[in-house]
Amino acid sequence: MDNMSITNTPTSNDACLSIVHSLMCHRQGGESETFAKRAIESLVKKLKEKKDELDSLITAITTNGAHPSKCVTIQRTLDGRLQVAGRKGFPHVIYARLWRWPDLHKNELKHVKYCQYAFDLKCDSVCVNPYHYERVVSPGIDLSGLTLQSSAPSSMLVKDEYVHDYEAQPSLSSAEGHSVQTIQHPPSNRASTEPYSTPAMLAPTEASTTSTTNFPNIPVASTTPEYWCSIAYFEMDVQVGETFKVPSSCPIVTVDGYVDPSGGDRFCLGQLSNVHRTEAIERARLHIGKGVQLECKGEGDVWVRCLSDHAVFVQSYYLDREAGRAPGDAVHKIYPSAYIKVFDLRQCHRQMQQQAATAQAAAAAQAAAVAGNIPGPGSVGGIAPAISLSAAAGIGVDDLRRLCILRMSFVKGWGPDYPRQSIKETPCWIEIHLHRALQLLDEVLHTMPIADPQPLD
């Protein structure tokens, strides 16, 4: 069949149906036939007016990249994602999965040097030519076993949460579905055999990921924080005990469920008392066990190792971004023995700079609008048209502080896949304030002060 499709290769002048049929013959089989057909039809229709690009696509796919081909572009959407058959995904990833690597994760793509419209270049058009991308394994995050869990049947939600966490996992092909909320991070095979004291995946010098190498350099710290993080422990919505500060001299700290005295590099939750503690909370606390290790690498990147026999659930804007989700849009389930990066200082710094600049520009535009000087559509500077002025101007200091905080629940998850909608409904969880990131935020706010949002009259 392939030989036939190559010898009778269609051109951009042929009917869409013939082109789609030919391109379907080269798909890799990772997606359903229906999804693949919808994705290919959608692309061919978009390219019908750009015959040279359509011919480039046909050449690239039917020759398996043997001949050089030009960029094949579609319009970039506001959130960068493309919807196909009710599922959203990054366009270059969708088509690279279809025609080259069915098990591909978004993190593993790097564009070739001659690609002018690569997704990462942030142009108005995005190149979806699968042969304009190479597959690389990012050194900063182990994706060997990453799968995504869509909403489970109600009978599976609460049951067996204390049982070892290796239920059957859906395939990655449903990864970009909008209803997917819980992103699973099982341990890599290498990690499971290594002693806890040795980072199983990387040497510390390799901690930065390919996705952050283009970020601007972080300014040199004027003073070194005495503590690299503060950890507050909560049961439901009540903080229990004092906030635990981790000295910068202890880059690795363990948070566990035992009753030993806390100090230095160990925060023991077992010895903390709470007069409002319920039986359900008490039961959950018994399963914290060896807990987690938090490790500060470099100037402020953070990695987590799950030492407990049960998964921990993490809110991490860094992992959201790596999985192609909007910040705060997902909960990350980190399995026993898994060792994974959960915070990137450079990415956080860039994000806080962008948000502060956006809020400042929006507040200025909003003030002008209130004064009667309605600005033109191009004058807000960096704000997508879909974001209203009031929403962008509504970014406050608290929103920026959230970028510098990690939250982690022991044993119990939250979100649409669980009966608990918020981490504040989970029985035992911690909030980690990262001091170097907060120090950078102070500097950003000093250069770009933003007022706390004020409601319009």
Side-chain angles (χ1 to χ4, degrees):
M1 193 182 209
D2 280 355
N3 287 339
M4 207 167 116
S5 66
I6 289 169
T7 52
N8 300 324
T9 303
T11 70
S12 57
N13 293 318
D14 286 300
C16 284
L17 200 61
S18 304
I19 299 170
V20 170
H21 176 75
S22 175
L23 296 177
M24 280 286 285
C25 294
H26 293 268
R27 68 190 181 93
Q28 294 298 305
E31 298 285 5
S32 70
E33 185 171 350
T34 307
F35 180 86
K37 192 173 181 185
R38 292 277 287 278
I40 295 170
E41 279 174 351
S42 165
L43 181 56
V44 170
K45 283 175 185 171
K46 286 177 178 144
L47 297 174
K48 253 309 188 180
E49 301 304 314
K50 299 190 280 189
K51 292 187 180 297
D52 58 332
E53 293 190 24
L54 183 50
D55 282 325
S56 278
L57 176 70
I58 294 166
T59 300
I61 302 307
T62 57
T63 66
N64 295 324
H67 297 297
S69 52
K70 299 176 185 174
C71 284
V72 176
T73 63
I74 60 173
Q75 187 72 28
R76 181 185 289 271
T77 59
L78 281 174
D79 68 354
R81 297 187 294 176
L82 177 71
Q83 183 153 329
V84 177
R87 278 168 40 195
K88 275 194 165 190
F90 292 103
H92 62 313
V93 177
I94 289 174
Y95 293 109
R97 276 187 194 147
L98 271 182
W99 284 309
R100 294 195 71 184
W101 306 287
D103 60 343
L104 177 75
H105 185 265
K106 168 232 171 190
N107 251 58
E108 300 174 316
L109 281 186
K110 181 183 177 185
H111 64 270
V112 295
K113 287 180 182 175
Y114 51 82
C115 182
Q116 295 176 293
Y117 296 97
F119 182 82
D120 290 337
L121 297 180
K122 304 283 190 268
C123 303
D124 290 339
S125 297
V126 178
C127 178
V128 294
N129 184 338
Y131 292 94
H132 276 205
Y133 295 88
E134 295 169 346
R135 188 175 189 177
V136 294
V137 178
S138 164
I141 181 170
D142 179 28
L143 298 167
S144 59
L146 184 139
T147 55
L148 300 173
Q149 171 180 306
S150 55
S151 295
S154 56
S155 60
M156 290 171 61
L157 291 183
V158 193
K159 271 201 220 169
D160 302 330
E161 278 194 85
Y162 291 127
V163 176
H164 282 283
D165 289 296
Y166 289 102
E167 67 271 14
Q169 295 165 10
S171 72
L172 197 61
S173 62
S174 62
E176 309 287 2
H178 190 65
S179 62
V180 176
Q181 294 287 336
T182 306
I183 300 179
Q184 304 189 22
H185 302 269
S188 68
N189 293 332
R190 287 170 291 166
S192 57
T193 57
E194 294 282 343
Y196 292 134
S197 57
T198 309
M201 284 158 39
L202 295 181
T205 53
E206 296 172 312
S208 63
T209 68
T210 51
S211 60
T212 58
T213 50
N214 295 326
F215 288 175
N217 288 331
I218 294 169
V220 178
S222 50
T223 56
T224 305
E226 185 182 354
Y227 302 97
W228 71 264
C229 76
S230 301
I231 306 171
Y233 169 64
F234 292 83
E235 292 177 359
M236 309 293 275
D237 60 352
V238 176
Q239 182 174 348
V240 177
E242 298 291 319
T243 298
F244 182 79
K245 292 184 176 181
V246 184
S248 296
S249 57
C250 299
I252 299 177
V253 61
T254 303
V255 183
D256 60 40
Y258 300 126
V259 295
D260 300 333
S262 298
D265 63 354
R266 190 172 173 206
F267 185 20
C268 296
L269 306 178
Q271 41 92 22
L272 299 175
S273 58
N274 175 11
V275 292
H276 302 294
R277 185 172 292 152
T278 63
E279 194 179 329
I281 293 173
E282 196 65 74
R283 266 202 317 273
R285 279 168 51 84
L286 293 175
H287 293 277
I288 296 172
K290 293 178 181 176
V292 294
Q293 255 182 9
L294 303 171
E295 181 174 1
C296 181
K297 288 189 177 187
E299 199 179 342
D301 294 353
V302 179
W303 290 64
V304 166
R305 188 190 300 278
C306 181
L307 306 181
S308 173
D309 290 335
H310 300 277
V312 293
F313 298 81
V314 177
Q315 186 181 68
S316 158
Y317 288 175
Y318 168 75
L319 287 178
D320 292 345
R321 183 180 184 273
E322 296 300 285
R325 304 306 298 258
D329 197 29
V331 177
H332 300 269
K333 184 175 184 177
I334 300 181
Y335 282 80
S337 300
Y339 175 66
I340 192 166
K341 184 176 182 178
V342 293
F343 180 81
D344 185 283
L345 187 67
R346 293 175 75 188
Q347 184 213 63
C348 175
H349 183 232
R350 184 185 184 190
Q351 212 169 351
M352 63 177 69
Q353 284 179 316
Q354 288 174 339
Q355 287 195 18
T358 299
Q360 200 176 40
Q366 192 180 53
V370 171
N373 306 319
I374 307 294
S379 62
V380 179
I383 301 174
I387 304 174
S388 69
L389 283 184
S390 57
I395 297 171
V397 175
D398 283 348
D399 298 290
L400 296 176
R401 281 180 63 84
R402 280 189 202 106
L403 300 173
C404 312
I405 294 170
L406 294 167
R407 286 175 159 186
M408 184 183 304
S409 168
F410 295 97
V411 185
K412 298 285 189 176
W414 79 94
D417 297 335
Y418 296 91
R420 298 161 292 276
Q421 294 310 298
S422 153
I423 195 170
K424 292 184 178 180
E425 295 171 38
T426 63
C428 37
W429 58 281
I430 55 175
E431 186 171 86
I432 304 143
H433 290 241
L434 302 169
H435 292 197
R436 178 65 181 121
L438 289 164
Q439 186 183 41
L440 286 172
L441 177 57
D442 282 344
E443 292 172 18
V444 168
L445 291 174
H446 189 71
T447 55
M448 282 187 285
I450 61 172
D452 278 321
Q454 298 294 325
L456 284 176
D457 293 333

